[in-house]
C-alpha cells in the first residue's frame, strides 16, 4: 500500500477486512486450493457488500456452481445449508446480494465479471475463457494479476429479484416412508422421492 | 469422559477430533446458529468418515438441502464450490461419502437418521418430526439429547453410487453472450441461459 494511495485504492486491496494473502489462506483451507475463481469471488463479494445499504439482512444468489459459492460462504452469513445462499446455475460468473425484507422489493446488488474489462488482464482473460492448454501455465502471474486487478474487472448492477426466486421452501409435515422407513416431506407423495424411482445407488 | 469408557464410547464423544462444544462453535460461526440439524450432521459425517477405507479421496452426496450440507462442508474437503459436494434433494436426512476413484465402483458409506432409533430421544424426535409448536421449546434439552445420543440415532449402509450421479460437469468452450455480453458455456446455446428467458431480476 503506497502512502500516496487514495482511500478508494486502499480499500480495493482488502477483501472485507482481510488482506489478499489472508483471504488466500482461508480459501485454501475451505476450498482445498487457492482457485482463481474463489479469489476473484472475494473481490466480488466485497464490492457487493460495500454497495448494500448498511445494516440490512441479505440473502445471496449465485449464478454459477463453480467456485463462486465458496467465496460467498466464506465471507457472508449465507451458506448452502442455511438457505440464505441459493445457487441457480445460469452459467454466468455473477452473484447477487439482496435485502431479505419483502417490503424492500428484494432490491439488491449484482456483481459480475465484465468481459470487456477482463481483456486488459491477459492471464485472467486466458483463465476465464480457458485459452491456456495447461492449468499450471502462468499460475503465479495469474494470481498476481488477480490481486492487482481487484475490482477493476468487475461490473455492478442494481437489481430487484423476482419474487419466485426469493421464496423460502418449507418442508411441511414430515412422514415416514412406508418403503425405506426414512423420514421425508409428506408433500412429496405416498413414498419419498427416492422410492419413487430416483434411487442414487446400485 | 469417564475413566471406564471403552475406546468406542470415547470416540463417539468426538466429532472428527473436535469436542461437541468446539464443533458447536464452528457451526455457529459458519451456519449462523447451533442448528440441531448441523449438530447431528457432525456425528453423521464422523460416522461416515470412520467407515471409509483409510486414505482414499472421497466425494459427498447430500440428500437434503437443509442444514446437512453445512456439516459436510465444515468437516470434509467437500464444498458446494469445489464440486466435491453434490446436493441432490430427495428430502431425506442422509449423506453419502464415496470413493472418487472410478475403478472402485464408487463404493461408499451412506449415513441416515434412523426413525426407529430416534423414538428413544423424545426432544430429537419432536424436532425431527416437527411436533413442537414453538422452535424454542425444549431447546436446551434438545441440544443435550443430541450430544448424548451421538451416533446412537444413526443408521449406516454400504452403497455404490450410480455412475450418472458421479459425473463431473465440465463447462466446455466459453463464449460471450451476444445479448448480455457476459461469458457463458457455449453448449448452453446461442445466448446464455438467462437471456433464453430465465432472467432472475425484474
Amino acid at each position: 500500500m503506497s502512502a500516496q494511495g487514495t482511500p478508494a485504492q486502499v480499500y480495493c486491496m482488502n477483501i472485507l477486512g482481510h488482506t489478499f494473502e489472508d483471504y488466500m489462506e482461508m480459501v485454501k483451507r475451505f476450498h482445498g486450493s487457492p482457485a482463481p475463481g474463489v479469489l476473484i469471488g472475494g473481490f466480488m463479494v466485497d464490492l457487493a457488500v460495500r454497495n448494500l445499504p448498511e445494516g440490512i439482512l441479505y440473502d445471496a444468489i449465485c449464478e454459477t456452481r463453480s467456485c463462486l459459492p465458496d467465496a460467498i460462504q466464506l465471507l457472508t452469513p449465507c451458506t448452502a445449508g442455511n438457505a440464505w445462499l441459493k445457487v441457480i446455475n445460469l452459467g454466468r460468473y455473477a452473484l447477487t446480494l439482496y435485502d431479505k425484507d419483502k417490503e424492500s422489493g428484494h432490491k439488491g446488488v449484482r456483481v459480475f465479471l465484465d468481459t470487456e474489462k477482463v481483456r486488459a488482464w491477459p492471464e485472467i482473460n486466458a483463465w476465464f475463457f480457458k485459452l491456456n492448454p495447461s492449468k499450471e501455465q502462468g499460475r503465479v502471474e495469474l494470481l498476481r494479476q488477480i490481486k492487482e486487478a481487484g475490482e477493476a474487472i468487475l461490473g455492478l448492477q442494481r437489481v430487484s429479484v423476482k419474487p419466485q426466486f426469493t421464496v423460502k421452501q418449507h418442508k411441511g409435515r414430515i412422514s415416514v416412508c412406508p418403503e425405506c422407513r426414512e423420514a421425508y416431506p409428506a408433500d412429496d407423495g405416498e413414498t419419498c422421492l427416492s422410492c419413487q424411482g430416483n434411487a442414487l445407488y446400485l
Side-chain angles (χ1 to χ4, degrees), chain A residues 57-72:
Chain A
L57 291 177
Y58 55 86
D59 281 333
I61 290 175
C62 187
E63 297 184 27
T64 177
R65 271 197 293 254
S66 305
C67 292
L68 197 49
D70 284 358
I72 297 168

Side-chain angles (χ1 to χ4, degrees), chain A residues 101-155:
Chain A
D101 183 3
K102 200 177 167 184
E103 301 303 313
S104 78
H106 296 304
K107 283 201 179 74
V109 173
R110 179 176 185 268
V111 173
F112 58 98
L113 222 63
D114 185 315
T115 54
E116 286 301 316
K117 295 177 183 171
V118 166
R119 277 179 216 275
W121 304 86
E123 285 297 334
I124 302 177
N125 192 67
W127 162 78
F128 192 51
F129 285 99
K130 302 206 278 182
L131 308 178
N132 278 346
S134 158
K135 271 191 179 176
E136 286 312 311
Q137 204 181 329
R139 197 74 172 188
V140 172
E141 177 58 14
L142 172 57
L143 295 191
R144 200 195 61 75
Q145 288 191 9
I146 288 172
K147 179 180 173 180
E148 198 181 318
E151 68 180 56
I153 54 176
L154 307 180

Side-chain angles (χ1 to χ4, degrees), chain A residues 39-52:
Chain A
L39 297 177
I40 293 171
F43 291 109
M44 295 173 73
V45 173
D46 179 83
L47 182 63
V49 168
R50 274 189 286 129
N51 281 278
L52 284 173

Side-chain angles (χ1 to χ4, degrees), chain A residues 169-178 180-192:
Chain A
Q169 281 160 339
H170 293 284
K171 280 179 288 188
R173 195 166 58 81
I174 305 296
S175 292
V176 174
C177 174
C180 68
R181 307 301 305 163
E182 292 187 36
Y184 76 105
D187 288 346
D188 285 351
E190 291 296 309
T191 63
C192 77

